[in-house]
Amino acid sequence: MGLPALEFSDCCLDSPQFRDTLKSHEAELDKTNKFIKELLKDGKTLIAALKNLSSAKRKFAESLNEFKFRCIGDAETDDEICIAKSLQEFAAVLRNLEDERMRMIENASEVLITPLEKFRKEQIGAAKEAKKKYDKETEKYCGVLEKHLNLSSKKKESQLQEADSQVDLVRQHFYEVSLEYVFKVQEVQERKMFEFVEPLLAFLQGLFTFYHHGYELAKDFSDFKTELTISIQNTRNRFEGTRSEVESLMKKMKENPHEHKNISPFTMEGYLYVQEKRHFGTSWVKHYCTYQRESKRITMVPFDQKSGGKGGEDEAVILKSCTRRKTDSIEKRFCFDVEAVDRPGVITMQALSEEDRRLWMEAMDGREPVYNLNKDSQSEGTAQLDNVGFSIIKKCIHAVETRGINEQGLYRIVGVNSRVQKLLSILMDPKMSSETDTDVCAEWEIKTITSALKTYLRMLPGPLMMYQFQRSFIKAAKLENQESRIAEIHSLVHRLPEKNKQMLHLLMNHLAKVANNHKQNLMTVANLGVVFGPTLLRPQEETVAAIMDIKFQNIVIEILIENHEKIFNTVPETAPPNSQLLLSRKKSTDSKPPSCSERPLTLFHTAQANEKQEKRNSIINSSLESVISSNVNSFLLSNSAPQPNLNSSDPDLEIIKPNRPNSLSPFRKARALYACKAEHDSELSFKAGTVFDNVHPSQEPGWLEGTLNGKTGLIPENYVEFL
């Protein structure tokens, strides 16, 4: 129920009912006054809290802005770059939001606090003052009236008339004050309907403006949020693959740590305890030592893992001799003595074990260093890029595209290993491969077929995109902009042997079709990159650093899928130099000796017409003779082969790697630069330093034929130097 109205006519009567009505209005004003007072207190607390919140959020934003991600490796993927800059984007959004909040807080005092305080002081305060005046006049009027009524009737008439006049004046004044008070009460009751509510509305409008600004920020942030979400998902997918690889490598290292050593520029390195003579006796100081056989340089760095710091200056000496220390000549075990050219006296060192001492002794005695070439576990498989290999891949692709292109998790979900091996054995049967049927029997599940395809690619003697080009592809993926990456990968693909390029073309066309159906099979280009990157572009050395580059392998596959038509159907705009068209055979101290499994995969040739073969041979031989006649000596000292004529107009002429020139003496002696284990019956096994007789060019590109201990076989051309 609302308050009853105060009638001005009731002011004259001043009835009990009028007083009760007036009292209810006064109680309402008191209630309103208390409420506004409490509201002002809460409003100021809210503003202070908002300021503290804004300050905390600004500090949070500053922390985000100052933090910088550091990824493992020498370059970052686009996804990692997006994630790295996300913190700065978050900070910018928070700062922008807090700027708007501060504007709202500053306006809150003007639109809420000040108007409410003004209403309370000027209006309700004025009503209170009017009430005091009204109460005072009421008391005065009642007192005068009682005094007047107590006058004796025996008073003179003049005195009575004067008293009546005085009472009338007091009554009139009381009546006027009563009217003014009722008017003020009525006015305040009406004013509070807008002067009290309007500031609250303005404050809420400020809040709405702030929240709308946040909504607009969220809309502007939406595109980056979508990009970031995709990048996070891609990075998570790559992490899962990388983590399993790193965990697998860790387990291998636990089982046999010596079989998985990194290739190092040093012949031997590790911790040794070096005996140092002090004035109070001798002490054994832990050093991290390195030795280079070529320069005979030993470097000793005093270092203790417990303290985490160096214990002195580095020292380097040139090795003169190394002698095993007899056990009975010293109290310590595993010791050996080193004499230096540039330092007097003997340096006594203690290895960590007998095996460790043996390795140090072998290295310093000039014996061949022990390296683990980490051959591919599938290198001894029968998979090849021949007619059978192409037939297997085409059959698998045809089955997937006709029966299972929309299956969810295509190529990601693996089949049962036993069934995969059974299918492969059937497909690799020459009888099966000779059949004209291009489909795989419908009894085989799609996941079994896709697993068979991936397994066959892993069984090749080397990755489809070749060990030699692995680092080049990775470097291409690390270029700053997408155009440069595509151009470099385009060039590298056209440097692959023809069979490798054909197989890669076939596979990328297929994967592009799979990606086009990603809404059904959930296999986006990024997901396919995660699946096929380690298969097609695996490194030769299994190290943590190589595993960290898996993300860039995935990017290479993504670029090949997205740009397969341009890359495989057009010639690169800038042709690579002639020296880069052939496989590099330069010996480098920065890389380990090449593995036998690095030979080109193009060992299978289809029958050629005699005319075309003779034309190719004549062009190659003419080019070889021109190169030899210009500089025979430089040719003899290098392991690289001359180039065929690249300007030939014959469209059927392939660019192939020529053998050793026939114009040289056909039967010569050659010495092995590296050790090699034969992978086929037609090849020779040998150690470094082995001398071959009757060495001459073979029919296989990149291979020579020679005799060792009466047996004739193939020798990798880049493994020998002619004597």
Side-chain angles (χ1 to χ4, degrees):
M1 290 292 293
L3 294 171
L6 289 171
E7 297 292 342
F8 289 125
S9 57
D10 292 338
C11 294
C12 183
L13 295 175
D14 197 14
S15 63
Q17 185 179 0
F18 170 75
R19 285 285 176 168
D20 289 341
T21 302
L22 186 60
K23 191 172 291 184
S24 64
H25 278 266
E26 290 172 349
E28 180 63 23
L29 286 180
D30 286 339
K31 179 181 176 182
T32 302
N33 182 52
K34 290 179 180 179
F35 177 71
I36 292 176
K37 186 176 180 181
E38 193 67 26
L39 188 65
L40 286 171
K41 180 181 177 182
D42 293 341
K44 291 176 180 178
T45 302
L46 173 61
I47 291 173
L50 288 174
K51 287 182 178 179
N52 292 334
L53 173 63
S54 180
S55 177
K57 284 194 172 183
R58 284 185 183 278
K59 187 174 180 182
F60 180 70
E62 289 175 5
S63 299
L64 289 178
N65 191 55
E66 290 173 0
F67 183 79
K68 306 294 182 184
F69 279 106
R70 295 191 65 184
C71 298
I72 299 176
D74 56 357
E76 297 176 344
T77 65
D78 290 342
D79 293 327
E80 288 173 338
I81 292 173
C82 179
I83 292 174
K85 74 175 183 180
S86 64
L87 298 188
Q88 284 69 45
E89 292 288 338
F90 295 160
V93 170
L94 289 174
R95 283 197 299 266
N96 194 322
L97 195 62
E98 294 315 306
D99 289 341
E100 184 64 26
R101 191 194 302 275
M102 285 307 300
R103 283 191 286 272
M104 178 196 71
I105 292 172
E106 291 170 358
N107 291 334
S109 296
E110 297 179 6
V111 302
L112 178 66
I113 304 300
T114 302
L116 287 179
E117 286 182 338
K118 183 178 179 182
F119 175 75
R120 178 171 169 270
K121 290 178 180 179
E122 294 183 359
Q123 299 302 324
I124 298 180
K128 286 186 175 182
E129 291 297 324
K131 182 180 184 308
K132 290 179 181 179
K133 186 176 181 181
Y134 176 71
D135 291 340
K136 183 177 179 181
E137 289 300 322
T138 298
E139 185 178 352
K140 180 178 178 182
Y141 170 67
C142 291
V144 170
L145 184 61
E146 289 177 0
K147 184 178 178 181
H148 179 68
L149 294 176
N150 289 329
L151 286 176
S152 174
S153 59
K154 295 179 180 181
K155 292 277 186 180
K156 293 181 179 180
E157 186 63 25
S158 59
Q159 290 179 334
L160 293 174
Q161 289 180 355
E162 182 179 356
D164 290 341
S165 299
Q166 187 177 5
V167 170
D168 290 339
L169 288 174
V170 173
R171 182 185 294 112
Q172 182 63 31
H173 188 260
F174 168 71
Y175 179 60
E176 291 175 357
V177 170
S178 177
L179 289 174
E180 291 175 357
Y181 178 53
V182 169
F183 173 76
K184 190 62 181 176
V185 170
Q186 294 271 41
E187 179 185 22
V188 173
Q189 293 287 20
E190 293 297 322
R191 276 181 176 273
K192 77 176 183 180
M193 301 299 291
F194 55 90
E195 288 196 4
F196 170 52
V197 175
E198 190 174 35
L200 294 174
L201 177 61
F203 175 70
L204 287 178
Q205 184 60 39
L207 278 177
F208 295 151
T209 302
F210 168 72
Y211 289 126
H212 180 73
H213 182 74
Y215 171 74
E216 292 295 329
L217 277 178
K219 283 173 58 179
D220 295 340
F221 190 70
S222 178
D223 291 340
F224 179 76
K225 183 182 74 171
T226 302
E227 179 185 358
L228 180 60
T229 302
I230 295 173
S231 295
I232 291 173
Q233 186 59 45
N234 290 341
T235 304
R236 178 180 286 110
N237 293 341
R238 290 168 184 153
F239 163 76
E240 293 298 333
T242 302
R243 183 180 182 276
S244 61
E245 294 288 340
V246 174
E247 187 176 12
S248 174
L249 177 59
M250 179 188 68
K251 291 178 180 177
K252 292 179 182 178
M253 293 291 290
K254 285 182 177 179
E255 293 170 0
N256 198 344
H258 294 293
E259 291 296 322
H260 295 272
K261 289 184 178 179
N262 284 338
I263 298 304
S264 169
F266 303 109
T267 308
M268 187 65 185
E269 60 181 320
Y271 282 100
L272 293 172
Y273 284 86
V274 179
Q275 187 183 50
E276 295 185 358
K277 294 181 179 180
R278 305 289 174 87
H279 65 278
F280 52 83
T282 60
S283 64
W284 293 84
V285 180
K286 196 173 188 179
H287 288 68
Y288 190 81
C289 301
T290 60
Y291 175 68
Q292 284 183 320
R293 180 172 175 269
E294 292 79 6
S295 62
K296 292 187 176 294
R297 181 182 179 87
I298 304 174
T299 303
M300 298 176 287
V301 180
F303 189 87
D304 190 350
Q305 297 102 315
K306 291 187 294 183
S307 60
K310 292 173 64 175
E313 297 297 324
D314 300 358
E315 183 179 3
V317 297
I318 303 301
L319 177 68
K320 180 180 179 182
S321 65
C322 177
T323 307
R324 185 184 303 273
R325 189 69 176 262
K326 293 183 179 180
T327 306
D328 56 2
S329 66
I330 192 169
E331 294 180 357
K332 298 283 188 178
R333 302 169 65 197
F334 319 132
C335 294
F336 57 94
D337 292 336
V338 170
E339 288 186 273
V341 174
D342 49 351
R343 173 175 164 173
V346 175
I347 305 173
T348 301
M349 296 180 172
Q350 182 186 25
L352 304 183
S353 65
E354 185 61 41
E355 175 66 15
D356 191 38
R357 178 170 68 173
R358 184 185 67 80
L359 293 174
W360 278 102
M361 293 292 295
E362 286 185 358
M364 293 185 179
D365 199 28
R367 299 180 185 178
E368 288 295 328
V370 180
Y371 288 116
N372 172 37
L373 298 180
N374 191 23
K375 292 185 178 180
D376 197 323
S377 61
Q378 298 290 351
S379 63
E380 297 182 0
T382 59
Q384 298 289 352
L385 288 183
D386 54 1
N387 292 335
V388 174
F390 274 88
S391 174
I392 291 172
I393 298 300
K394 288 177 180 178
K395 287 178 181 179
C396 291
I397 288 175
H398 183 264
V400 171
E401 292 182 354
T402 55
R403 294 198 281 120
I405 193 114
N406 291 327
E407 282 204 10
Q408 291 189 2
L410 192 65
Y411 285 108
R412 172 166 282 181
I413 299 175
V414 297
V416 179
N417 186 57
S418 59
R419 289 187 59 79
V420 172
Q421 296 300 326
K422 184 177 180 181
L423 175 58
L424 274 176
S425 65
I426 294 174
L427 292 175
M428 294 174 72
D429 185 349
K431 296 180 181 179
M432 174 68 180
S433 64
S434 63
E435 297 177 2
T436 56
D437 186 12
T438 59
D439 200 0
V440 179
C441 184
E443 69 176 274
W444 299 100
E445 295 179 292
I446 292 298
K447 65 180 181 181
T448 304
I449 298 173
T450 56
S451 296
L453 184 148
K454 291 187 295 181
T455 302
Y456 189 85
L457 292 174
R458 287 194 290 267
M459 288 170 60
L460 293 170
L464 188 61
M465 298 171 73
M466 304 189 69
Y467 290 128
Q468 294 93 322
F469 296 108
Q470 197 265 351
R471 292 307 307 165
S472 299
F473 277 112
I474 294 299
K475 289 179 181 177
K478 293 179 180 180
L479 295 176
E480 292 185 359
N481 60 74
Q482 188 74 352
E483 292 77 12
S484 300
R485 297 172 192 165
I486 295 172
E488 184 63 20
I489 291 174
H490 190 180
S491 174
L492 289 169
V493 167
H494 284 262
R495 290 165 58 185
L496 292 172
E498 189 61 30
K499 292 285 186 181
N500 298 60
K501 188 171 69 173
Q502 290 175 5
M503 179 64 80
L504 191 62
H505 187 187
L506 178 67
L507 191 59
M508 291 305 118
N509 279 340
H510 169 60
L511 295 183
K513 294 177 183 178
V514 174
N516 289 338
N517 292 271
H518 69 273
K519 291 185 178 178
Q520 291 78 29
N521 58 39
L522 305 182
M523 293 304 291
T524 61
V525 172
N527 290 339
L528 291 171
V530 171
V531 173
F532 280 91
T535 298
L536 302 180
L537 204 59
R538 65 183 181 274
Q540 191 166 6
E541 287 301 327
E542 191 176 9
T543 64
V544 174
I547 293 173
M548 290 299 105
D549 276 341
I550 287 178
K551 55 195 173 188
F552 294 105
Q553 298 173 14
N554 303 345
I555 290 174
V556 173
I557 303 305
E558 292 173 24
I559 290 175
L560 288 174
I561 296 173
E562 292 175 339
N563 304 274
H564 68 283
E565 292 185 357
K566 173 183 176 182
I567 289 175
F568 292 98
N569 297 329
T570 63
V571 178
E573 294 180 2
T574 304
N578 290 354
S579 61
Q580 292 180 347
L581 287 173
L582 302 180
L583 300 178
S584 173
R585 301 299 184 190
K586 182 179 178 182
K587 181 183 177 183
S588 170
T589 57
D590 295 332
S591 62
K592 70 172 191 121
S595 168
C596 286
S597 61
E598 288 182 349
R599 67 184 187 278
L601 302 183
T602 55
L603 300 181
F604 304 91
H605 302 281
T606 56
Q608 302 288 337
N610 292 334
E611 306 82 53
K612 188 181 296 184
Q613 185 65 38
E614 290 174 1
K615 186 173 183 180
R616 178 183 291 110
N617 291 340
S618 64
I619 292 174
I620 293 174
N621 289 334
S622 63
S623 175
L624 293 173
E625 291 171 359
S626 64
V627 173
I628 296 163
S629 61
S630 63
N631 196 343
V632 174
N633 292 332
S634 62
F635 177 85
L636 293 174
L637 294 174
S638 66
N639 289 325
S640 61
Q643 301 296 319
N645 186 355
L646 300 181
N647 298 322
S648 173
S649 60
D650 186 356
D652 297 323
L653 180 60
E654 301 175 4
I655 298 176
I656 63 173
K657 181 176 178 181
N659 298 317
R660 292 280 181 177
N662 294 330
S663 57
L664 294 176
S665 177
F667 299 99
R668 307 178 59 200
K669 286 184 178 291
R671 180 190 295 113
L673 297 172
Y674 317 108
C676 180
K677 180 181 179 182
E679 298 177 353
H680 302 282
D681 293 336
S682 60
E683 299 172 11
L684 294 176
S685 295
F686 50 87
K687 298 180 180 180
T690 301
V691 176
F692 304 92
D693 296 319
N694 301 326
V695 178
H696 58 278
S698 75
Q699 296 300 316
E700 296 290 353
W703 292 77
L704 300 173
E705 191 170 299
T707 302
L708 177 63
N709 298 329
K711 179 182 178 182
T712 301
L714 296 177
I715 309 164
E717 182 181 12
N718 59 316
Y719 271 55
V720 300
E721 62 179 1
F722 282 94
L723 301 178

